[in-house]
Structures are given as C-alpha cells and as structure tokens.
Amino acid sequence: MAPDLTRRLREEAVVRIIAHVDELTALDQAIGDGDHGFNMKRGFEAITALGDELDALSLGPALQKAGMTLVMKVGGASGPLYGSFLMAMGKAMTGDPLSREDFVGSLAEGVAAVKMRGKSEAGAKTMLDVLVPVLDAVTADDPLAAARQAARDGLEATRNMKATKGRASFLGERSIGHLDPGARSSALLVEVVCDVLEGKV
Ligand code: ADP
Ligand code: MG
C-alpha cells in the first residue's frame, strides 16, 4: 500500500465533495432540508484541516481520526453516520501490509456500524443503498470495477424507493422519484477511493 495513500484519499475526497456541493444541496432540498452539501463540505474541510497530522498516520488510525472529526464537526444525520462508518472501518483495519481480505473485512465493519447507528438496512432510501451493494461487490474478481458499478446502480435504485428512514421518510410517497442525497455522496466517495487506488488521481 502506497505510503501516501492517506494524503491522496484525503485530498481527493475534499476536492470531489466541494465539486459536488451544489448537486448534494439540490438533492437534499428535494426530499430533506437542503443541508447535505454543506454538511459534507464542512466535514471534509475539517478532515483536510488535520493535514500532516492525519497523513502521518497509517490508514486505520487515520480513518478513525477522520471519523471522529466528522462526528464532532458535522450536524445532521450524515456526520455521525459517516463518522461511525470511518471509525469502525479504521478500527478493524489492523493488517500491515493491508491485504484485500483486511480491506473487505473493515468495510464490512463500517457498513455494520452505519446500520447500527442508523437503525437501518438497505432498501430505506439511504446511503446504505450504495454501501451495502458496494460491500457485496468488492469480493468480485475485479473489485474496483464491480464497486463502481454497484455504487452507480445502488444510487439509481434509490430513485424509486420510498424513504423509511431519515428526514426524507417524513415525505412518505412523495420521496419517490428523487435520488437520495446520502446515497449520492456515498457513490461519490466510492468513486474517489477507486480512482485513488487505481492511480487515476
Ligand atoms: P439530515 O438528514 O439530518 O439533514 P444530511 O442531510 O446531512 O442530514 O444527510 C441526509 C442523508 O443521511 C440521507 O440522504 C440518508 O442517506 C442518510 N440517512 C439519514 N438517516 C439515516 C439512517 N437512519 N440510516 C442511514 N442513513 C441515513
Ligand atoms: Mg439534510
């Protein structure tokens, strides 16, 4: 695993989130309260502010620290959910060097943490509709290509779902026909990880 992986993930994540803030805002305006773009920007800027301190850590401890930062700095449901995700992933990431099995295992811990914190499962029109299929996909022969496809399909599948968790659930049937903002941000972050691991950015 490249030693500068933490830095590259951190830098690319914030760039990508900032480039999509308006899109995330618009999605959350449609079925929520419109703050998802702002929440994600605030959270990833706080991670960026950790800078060298974060980059000096190996991936597991860096993810834990980034997760704690999200929990502390981001209001809204998404901060604690993404924060729990990263903390659980980081805590489980003990292999050195990190094997593919270690990575899949820690991703599973992260997804389990979101389910527990959100008292939710896939199918409720949330970020889990991207994260769960991505977790299933990473055991494929070409895990990165499978993860990208699973993220795209999972996001698209939220369009016709009725939200049963989070703010969008207040809309009931009226949540149908819109993509879920958290599923969009998750798909974005999956793309970031794949691009960094493939050396595309
Ligand atoms: P808030 O809903 O508090 O305004 P955000 O707008 O930042 O927070 O985040 C909303 C996103 O959080 C939703 O689009 C959804 O993907 C995710 N979310 C909300 N509640 C849950 C939950 N219980 N389980 C999983 N994800 C959830
Ligand atoms: Mg919101």
Side-chain angles (χ1 to χ4, degrees), residues 60-137:
L63 288 175
Q64 287 188 66
K65 195 168 183 72
M68 265 185 286
T69 303
L70 291 183
V71 171
M72 286 187 307
K73 295 282 165 77
V74 182
S78 60
L81 289 165
Y82 276 125
S84 303
F85 176 71
L86 295 183
M87 284 195 294
M89 247 194 113
K91 194 170 167 212
M93 210 172 259
T94 48
D96 186 19
L98 194 66
S99 70
R100 183 171 152 181
E101 288 69 29
D102 293 330
F103 183 80
V104 174
S106 67
L107 185 60
E109 289 297 319
V111 172
V114 175
K115 287 182 179 177
M116 199 154 79
R117 182 103 196 196
K119 299 185 177 61
S120 190
E121 294 284 339
K125 195 178 179 101
T126 71
M127 58 178 71
L128 284 169
D129 291 302
V130 166
L131 298 176
V132 170
V134 165
L135 172 62
D136 291 339

Side-chain angles (χ1 to χ4, degrees), residues 28 33 35-36 39 76-78 81 118 120 126-127 166-167 180-182:
D28 200 31
D33 57 357
D35 65 352
H36 190 57
N39 287 341
S78 60
L81 289 165
S120 190
T126 71
M127 58 178 71
R167 259 174 219 286
D180 175 63

Side-chain angles (χ1 to χ4, degrees), residues 150-168:
R152 274 196 294 268
D153 294 347
L155 170 63
E156 193 50 44
T158 66
R159 193 185 296 280
N160 291 321
M161 287 180 186
K162 184 173 108 177
T164 54
K165 290 285 174 184
R167 259 174 219 286

